[in-house]
Amino acid sequence: MQTDLVYRLVEREGPKIQRQFVLSSSAITLGRDLAAEIVLDDPQVARHHARLTYAEAGYFISDLNSPPATFVNGQPVPMPRPLKHGDVIRLGESLELVYEILTTDQFAAEQQAQPLQQAVKRVVRKKRGYRSPFWLILTGGLSAVYIAGAIGLIPPMRLITLLSLWPLIAAAIIIDLVLGRISWILGGVFGLLTVCVLYLLTVTGPQKGWVDASGTEVFGVQLNTLPESVETFFNDFQPPGSDLALSIQSARFYQPAVGIETAYVELGLGRFDTMVGALPEGVNIVEANVYYLEDFIYDVQEGSDRSVTIAMLDNDSPDIVMPIGVNRDLYRWVINFDPAVALNLTITLGEGAAEIDLSGLDVASLTVYGGEGAALIALPADLPVRFDLPDAAADRVTLPLSYEEGAGEDAVPVTVESVGEGTIEFVTR
């Protein structure tokens, strides 16, 4: 064997890439067997796979009749074949070795440089820095919520709630900049947790009362609204053929109570929160301050039997989106009724929360249609009532603790015709 040359194999593909085998024997067996001169721990390699034999011109390779054949430069080796510098030896399906011939000076210089290369690799590994999949998970989750809103799986208003939660998203990004440098697993887990929290706050939060529907209040903590420049951009942006956001409009209605003994009132609540209560007796049947974006219906029809029928309905299209960053507390519906008028009330709940205090009113009947927002309905404590609930009300409707079934026929009927995604809680005062 020529003493001024160094022969070696370098693992190019396999379990230990860049591993080197310096060839110093005249006969070398390659295989998975521990008795082989070069042990290759790969399940695709036979126990005795191939043999290298040194001759005057260098090494020859021969296959040892292994079921996964031996290949050189993609060609099978049916008989001993001489190797030249740069030949690629493939054993089985996944392990490749490169045959190299170096001068002793080249090999010595390479060995001297190797510690420096290893040190550089260690520094590079230490300075990899931020490698978290947080951004991939966050953008994927936000995109899924946006698509769900675009195809109608969730109300468009929820997208505005999501945008209004930008302080929480910003805080999550800052936290991930720290976690992502510690471990990419921590960054990924935190990304999943962030998406789950945003989903719950955006889709379920307004129904559970955890977050105000505008996103300006989370668990009772007031968040800052969007920056003015961002809010102006979204509110002014108008896609062709549609209105993305309209300005909030207000209206005030009242109906005199002169000569009226009974009122049939239909309330169709929308995306704004609502409060219902009592007026001073004998002035107006109803006084209402309401807000809307596109259209509102107010209709009054007086009957011949000293009765009146009043309809107050939010007629906004569900595709219309509320301006971003709105403080919902400033745009709350307030509706009050005359306690001297017998009230037959039908309420269709909407996206907003509703606090309906009927404890000071003369309630003749009450019918409720569920919505997405949570509703608290207070009834007079001394009023005998008879509840009529749908089968699906078990998880969504809560009755007063003092209520007992079996009320007489003279009891006031309280009917829940349907339940939505929100909750309805009845109490007595």
Side-chain angles (χ1 to χ4, degrees):
M1 184 177 296
Q2 299 186 38
T3 58
D4 58 342
L5 295 178
V6 175
Y7 303 89
R8 71 179 178 186
L9 297 176
V10 179
E11 190 169 337
R12 189 173 78 170
E13 288 188 15
K16 297 181 180 180
I17 296 177
Q18 297 301 318
R19 178 172 50 168
Q20 299 183 16
F21 304 96
V22 177
L23 309 179
S24 57
S25 302
S26 58
I28 301 171
T29 301
L30 292 79
R32 205 173 68 251
D33 194 289
L34 296 179
E37 283 75 16
I38 294 180
V39 179
L40 302 171
D41 187 15
D42 188 307
Q44 298 294 326
V45 175
R47 295 174 61 84
H48 300 90
H49 199 112
R51 183 184 300 276
L52 296 175
T53 306
Y54 182 77
E56 186 176 351
Y59 278 93
F60 286 72
I61 187 170
S62 55
D63 183 66
L64 297 179
N65 297 320
S66 58
T70 303
F71 297 83
V72 175
N73 299 330
Q75 301 296 322
V77 182
M79 61 183 63
R81 169 176 174 166
L83 295 173
K84 61 181 183 297
H85 178 76
D87 281 349
V88 178
I89 303 169
R90 179 160 61 86
L91 307 179
E93 297 294 332
S94 59
L95 192 141
E96 288 187 354
L97 305 167
V98 179
Y99 177 74
E100 295 181 349
I101 304 175
L102 291 81
T103 65
T104 53
D105 292 339
Q106 289 174 327
F107 184 75
E110 185 180 277
Q111 295 303 306
Q112 290 177 358
Q114 192 172 21
L116 178 59
Q117 293 173 352
Q118 294 297 327
V120 170
K121 288 181 180 179
R122 286 195 295 270
V123 171
V124 170
R125 282 196 295 268
K126 288 181 180 179
K127 292 190 175 182
R128 278 178 179 172
Y130 182 82
R131 298 168 53 232
S132 170
F134 173 86
W135 281 102
L136 179 63
I137 297 172
L138 179 63
T139 54
L142 295 179
S143 298
V145 174
Y146 175 81
I147 293 172
I151 63 179
L153 294 180
I154 62 175
M157 185 61 191
R158 296 293 183 263
L159 302 180
I160 302 305
T161 301
L162 178 62
L163 288 175
S164 298
L165 294 174
W166 68 268
L168 297 181
I169 299 176
I173 292 173
I174 294 173
I175 294 173
D176 177 69
L177 291 177
V178 177
L179 296 180
R181 293 181 179 275
I182 298 175
S183 168
W184 69 271
I185 297 178
L186 282 177
V189 172
F190 184 67
L192 291 173
L193 179 63
T194 300
V195 169
C196 291
V197 170
L198 289 175
Y199 176 83
L200 289 175
L201 291 178
T202 301
V203 179
T204 309
Q207 304 162 11
K208 299 291 186 180
W210 302 335
V211 57
D212 180 78
S214 65
T216 58
E217 191 173 295
V218 178
F219 295 110
V221 178
Q222 187 74 27
L223 299 179
N224 292 326
T225 56
L226 287 174
E228 183 177 352
S229 58
V230 179
E231 180 179 344
T232 302
F233 169 79
F234 278 102
N235 291 341
D236 290 345
F237 178 68
Q238 299 288 334
S242 65
D243 291 330
L244 178 63
L246 300 177
S247 60
I248 296 176
Q249 304 180 62
S250 63
R252 183 174 184 273
F253 305 99
Y254 67 93
Q255 182 65 27
V258 178
I260 300 300
E261 298 178 353
T262 305
Y264 301 89
V265 179
E266 179 183 0
L267 295 181
L269 311 185
R271 64 195 72 195
F272 293 95
D273 295 348
T274 302
M275 294 185 65
V276 176
L279 287 170
E281 185 175 331
V283 181
N284 292 316
I285 300 173
V286 61
E287 292 182 5
N289 292 310
V290 300
Y291 297 91
Y292 61 97
L293 298 179
E294 185 182 33
D295 189 22
F296 186 86
I297 296 176
Y298 178 76
D299 182 63
V300 178
Q301 297 181 9
E302 293 190 15
S304 59
D305 54 351
R306 302 178 67 84
S307 68
V308 64
T309 300
I310 302 173
M312 290 185 289
L313 309 174
D314 185 323
N315 200 37
D316 285 343
S317 167
D319 296 329
I320 297 299
V321 176
M322 181 178 290
I324 296 174
V326 171
N327 185 344
R328 310 267 297 201
D329 291 336
L330 300 178
Y331 299 96
R332 190 186 302 270
W333 283 21
V334 178
I335 304 173
N336 294 315
F337 295 98
D338 184 350
V341 175
L343 197 61
N344 296 273
L345 189 59
T346 299
I347 303 175
T348 300
L349 301 172
E351 294 181 16
E355 183 176 344
I356 302 169
D357 186 0
L358 307 178
S359 60
L361 299 175
D362 182 6
V363 180
S365 68
L366 175 62
T367 302
V368 180
Y369 294 84
E372 296 181 12
L376 175 66
I377 302 176
L379 300 171
D382 57 350
L383 182 69
V385 297
R386 182 179 67 256
F387 284 97
D388 184 7
L389 307 178
D391 294 336
D395 298 331
R396 298 289 183 179
V397 179
T398 304
L399 300 183
L401 296 176
S402 60
Y403 173 69
E404 296 181 2
E405 294 186 5
E409 295 182 358
D410 58 341
V412 172
V414 177
T415 304
V416 178
E417 289 287 353
S418 64
V419 293
E421 297 181 9
T423 59
I424 303 173
E425 180 182 0
F426 290 96
V427 298
T428 56
R429 292 177 183 172

